Amino acid sequence: METITPTQEIQYDYERMEQAAKNRIINTDTYNRTMDYLRGPEGWREEETYVLQMRRSPHGYLVACGIEDAVNELVTQPITQEELDEAEQYYAGNNVPFFNKDMWQAIIDENDGFLPIEIYGARDGTVVLPGEPLIRATGPGELIAHFEHLFHRPFYDTLVATKGNELTKLLGDPNRFIEVGKRGTPDELTHLRAIKALQVGGDITMTSNDAAGVAFEDVRSVGTIGHRYVQRFPSVEAAFRHAVENLDTVSLLVDLVDSYDGMNIALKLKEEYRETDKNIWVRLDSGDLKAQLRYYLDACNERGYTDPIRDRITVEGFENLEDIAEMEAMLTEEEKKRVIYGGGGIAVSQQTSRSDASTGFKLAEYVTPAGVVEPSRKFSDSPGKESLPGEPTIIVLDGLARYIAQYKEMDQGTDLLELLYANGQIAQPSSIDQARARRKAQMPAIEQMVQEGERAVLSAQTIQKIGALSTKYGIAA
């Protein structure tokens, strides 16, 4: 094995990746530099408006989350001369064409590094329907487009928050679900984002990640014994007995060899220690979970082990929400008080890709060199993927009637897109409690619309802009 000593100067791949990711000038898609070049050296200054939509949802609606954090990540720290010098060195040293150094130098010199743009967005907990606008950014067009990737990324937080709402709706109590997906995300920060989203979307506050307890004051980290503990003993019973004797509360993982044998050992120990203060729980993790759950509940019911604290059962290893629903359907209300679910992938990695939300960040309006404001729209051969023109927003009247309208078109109702950043000034971010309250206030109307298959109404100005663009391109409106 070829080795190095700690005194040797060497840069590891992960260090290079980390350094590159921190530089916001370098961190863009290549085609953005190409399009900026085609507009000429000063074309980047022309004002444009871009709009983010999430055009799809596995559940028919979306609980917005992560937009405020994405905006704050972009704008809280100014672009620095150090970033620009590093970027110039990279592009010049590698003969990479079309780098607009003057644009970035102007941002630093004329705006102290702060982006001269305005961003409106849906705050955490805002409940929307697929296709509605979630972010609207206005300012120098090529500058906004440079950060297109960052504007897309709240799809993850939003999909996790939406899943959180579905889990709590299914279980009736957020304390009946434990998030255990630390191993199911690509890095630590992504998992912490997921835990925040589960709080926003479903009031879920139990997790196996200790770091989450540091990051969020309402989160409680919980744990149990795993397979590796049981594997070190001469028998499953020896492992279980040692855990029971040394812990006041323990959840016995029963499937190392055979789940039914493990459950029977747990029942034996529960009987032995019933007169003590021990809380002996079990965790089901593989096999026919529904059958195992029914077997163990029946055995406990026959023995009178029905205390919701002392006789808890945790079910893990299920594949989807439908699996949980099947188990819930066979439980009595009393039994539900004893059964909780632990899930990782179902909460933080399943149905959480960009394609699951079908995000689009598209040009919606631009100002010509002559100063004329022109709407713009992406049409599509795929129904539902068309973008919205102009300066679209969401207006809710009387809590029920819902419109995709143009900014300042309607003087009544509530505008769900709020100003989050303007030319160096940042709006106070929502707390998790505020986001939860927002979701709870808006959810009933959205659930009714989803149930009845309704969508937001296009306003008169929005229809007019779509019609004009359809005529321009010879497309039937």
Side-chain angles (χ1 to χ4, degrees):
M1 179 178 70
E2 185 179 353
T3 62
I4 60 172
T5 65
T7 56
Q8 287 181 267
E9 290 188 7
I10 183 171
Q11 189 178 41
Y12 296 94
D13 287 345
Y14 83 88
E15 292 176 312
R16 285 193 293 273
M17 290 187 289
E18 191 175 67
Q19 181 179 349
K22 288 180 179 178
N23 190 312
R24 290 162 292 178
I25 297 175
I26 295 173
N27 199 348
T28 193
D29 282 322
T30 302
Y31 77 159
N32 289 320
R33 286 187 293 101
T34 306
M35 287 185 282
D36 176 48
Y37 169 78
L38 291 172
R39 296 180 67 166
E42 291 295 305
W44 68 272
R45 294 182 182 272
E46 295 171 0
E47 182 174 300
E48 295 177 343
T49 294
Y50 288 81
V51 172
L52 177 79
Q53 296 168 264
M54 298 187 191
R55 299 164 297 198
R56 186 183 301 145
S57 169
H59 308 290
Y61 68 95
L62 296 157
V63 179
C65 187
I67 292 172
E68 295 178 75
D69 284 339
V71 170
N72 291 339
E73 178 186 344
L74 174 62
V75 302
T76 50
Q77 297 298 320
I79 302 295
T80 66
Q81 190 67 50
E82 182 182 7
E83 286 178 281
L84 177 53
D85 293 344
E86 181 185 43
E88 184 182 18
Q89 182 180 11
Y90 163 72
Y91 289 121
N94 291 276
N95 283 327
V96 178
F98 312 145
F99 174 54
N100 191 346
K101 175 189 174 182
D102 292 342
M103 176 177 75
W104 296 105
Q105 195 65 63
I107 299 302
I108 294 169
D109 294 344
E110 298 173 16
N111 299 281
D112 296 324
F114 291 102
L115 303 181
I117 62 178
E118 289 187 352
I119 304 173
Y120 288 77
R123 287 188 175 271
D124 288 350
T126 302
V127 189
V128 301
L129 296 169
E132 295 181 343
L134 285 165
I135 296 175
R136 187 178 70 248
T138 299
E142 292 303 319
L143 186 62
I144 295 172
H146 179 88
F147 297 105
E148 174 188 13
H149 61 282
L150 195 145
F151 287 112
H152 275 277
R153 286 190 179 150
F155 72 80
Y156 176 77
D157 315 68
T158 295
L159 289 170
V160 174
T162 307
K163 181 69 70 67
N165 186 73
E166 287 294 300
L167 282 164
T168 297
K169 183 168 63 173
L170 176 58
L171 297 177
D173 181 353
N175 292 318
R176 294 187 62 212
F177 187 82
I178 304 172
E179 187 284 321
V180 294
K182 187 175 175 68
R183 291 168 289 182
T185 55
D187 54 57
E188 187 64 41
L189 183 58
T190 302
H191 191 236
L192 292 174
R193 286 169 56 193
I195 293 171
K196 178 180 179 179
L198 290 171
Q199 294 176 77
V200 169
D203 302 321
I204 294 169
T205 58
M206 288 195 292
T207 178
S208 63
N209 185 355
D210 282 351
V214 177
F216 306 109
E217 62 181 2
D218 289 341
V219 167
R220 179 163 61 96
S221 58
V222 296
T224 181
I225 63 172
H227 292 116
R228 66 181 177 86
Y229 168 81
V230 184
Q231 287 173 265
R232 293 186 58 86
F233 285 82
S235 68
V236 172
E237 181 171 347
F240 285 5
R241 189 173 293 278
H242 182 266
V244 170
E245 289 173 353
N246 288 278
L247 297 171
D248 292 331
T249 299
V250 62
S251 184
L252 303 174
L253 181 55
V254 300
D255 73 331
L256 180 68
V257 180
D258 179 85
S259 293
Y260 287 93
D261 287 344
M263 287 188 283
N264 289 333
I265 294 169
L267 289 166
K268 175 182 176 181
L269 293 173
K270 287 174 75 70
E271 183 175 358
E272 287 184 30
Y273 286 87
R274 197 64 182 175
E275 299 307 315
T276 71
D277 293 330
K278 301 285 186 180
N279 298 322
I280 303 174
W281 305 342
V282 299
R283 176 155 67 105
L284 312 179
D285 196 46
S286 63
D288 189 338
L289 298 171
K290 181 179 177 182
Q292 293 171 23
L293 178 58
R294 188 68 269 162
Y295 171 86
Y296 192 74
L297 281 169
D298 288 343
C300 286
N301 292 342
E302 290 172 4
R303 292 165 173 78
Y305 301 157
T306 59
D307 189 287
I309 301 299
R310 302 193 66 189
D311 303 309
R312 186 168 293 175
I313 306 164
T314 301
V315 183
E316 297 184 18
F318 42 83
E319 295 293 329
N320 48 50
L321 290 172
E322 289 73 20
D323 288 347
I324 299 177
E326 284 188 19
M327 287 183 276
E328 285 288 285
M330 75 175 184
L331 302 180
T332 67
E333 291 303 311
E334 185 278 325
E335 288 171 339
K336 288 179 181 179
K337 296 176 182 178
R338 288 181 271 150
V339 177
I340 62 175
Y341 299 86
I346 188 175
V348 304
S349 59
Q350 290 181 10
Q351 295 181 317
T352 57
S353 70
R354 182 193 162 203
S355 61
D356 290 312
S358 183
T359 58
F361 187 70
K362 301 301 180 183
L363 176 65
E365 185 176 88
Y366 61 92
V367 179
T368 69
V372 179
V373 178
E374 293 283 357
S376 184
R377 188 189 201 205
K378 175 191 176 293
F379 292 89
S380 178
D381 292 327
S382 299
K385 296 189 73 173
E386 304 88 357
S387 65
L388 292 167
E391 296 182 285
T393 190
I394 311 168
I395 300 294
V396 179
L397 296 175
D398 301 323
L400 293 175
R402 196 174 185 92
Y403 294 86
I404 295 177
Q406 296 297 305
Y407 179 55
K408 292 186 176 180
E409 176 185 1
M410 304 177 74
D411 56 9
Q412 294 182 327
T414 301
D415 192 330
L416 298 188
L417 300 193
E418 299 185 27
L419 184 62
L420 302 180
Y421 171 81
N423 304 310
Q425 300 299 309
I426 306 169
Q428 181 72 29
S430 299
S431 68
I432 291 177
D433 284 343
Q434 288 172 327
R436 289 168 171 166
R438 192 174 289 122
R439 182 200 85 232
K440 291 174 183 177
Q442 296 177 14
M443 187 61 72
I446 288 291
E447 287 182 332
Q448 181 178 336
M449 292 185 72
V450 172
Q451 185 177 3
E452 296 176 359
E454 296 181 1
R455 287 289 181 265
V457 177
L458 297 180
S459 70
Q461 289 185 20
T462 303
I463 292 172
Q464 186 275 327
K465 291 178 187 296
I466 291 173
L469 289 165
S470 298
T471 300
K472 175 181 176 180
Y473 290 108
I475 299 172

